[in-house]
Amino acid sequence: MRPGERRRYVALEHVASGTGSLLADVELPEREPDQAAMVSFRPEDVLYGKLRPAGEIVARRRRGLLLVEFITMRPRPGIDSRWLGYLAQSNPFIEWSVTTSEEGVKMPRTG
């Protein structure tokens, strides 16, 4: 990113629990990146919420910013990101996510 460039920002509160979709009425704010707390995501990335390791997925066809409360998964070249999203919503992946969760200050987080 170029200095001063603003991008849409996705936070866990913008995501519908249980579906992984953005809330219908949400207007994503634009922000400048905070190097310590935010990471960039690209089209085709699959985003997985660490705080709610139960299949919350957001796959966007745009670039943006998000807090480090998401795991950003990037498919290898030639792999359709939809398949990575399906994998992340599968029971074995969710079970792994819950099993590897560590207690946070207020709730478990997967790593």
Side-chain angles (χ1 to χ4, degrees), residues 49-107:
K50 290 181 182 181
L51 288 177
R52 295 183 296 215
E56 273 76 4
I57 301 295
V58 180
R60 293 289 121 217
R61 302 286 184 236
R62 62 175 84 141
R63 296 180 183 278
L65 298 169
L66 48 90
L67 286 176
V68 294
E69 295 302 334
F70 285 94
I71 296 170
T72 304
M73 297 182 284
R74 186 162 292 147
R76 291 182 179 182
I79 304 296
D80 190 315
S81 67
R82 290 177 294 182
W83 298 114
L84 183 56
Y86 298 147
L87 173 66
Q89 291 176 315
S90 70
N91 285 333
F93 189 92
I94 293 169
E95 289 171 8
W96 169 83
S97 180
V98 171
T99 301
T100 60
S101 294
E102 297 176 5
E103 281 299 317
V105 175
K106 295 182 182 178
M107 59 184 73

Side-chain angles (χ1 to χ4, degrees), residues 6-51:
R6 298 173 65 83
R7 288 197 179 160
R8 296 282 181 193
Y9 168 75
V10 177
L12 285 173
E13 62 264 19
H14 300 141
V15 179
S17 183
T19 69
S21 299
L22 290 177
L23 296 170
D25 59 346
V26 71
E27 178 71 27
L28 295 177
E30 287 192 0
R31 300 241 172 107
E32 290 184 27
D34 171 350
Q35 298 295 337
M38 293 182 192
V39 295
S40 293
F41 65 92
R42 307 187 307 209
E44 303 302 319
D45 285 352
V46 174
L47 313 175
Y48 190 83
K50 290 181 182 181
L51 288 177

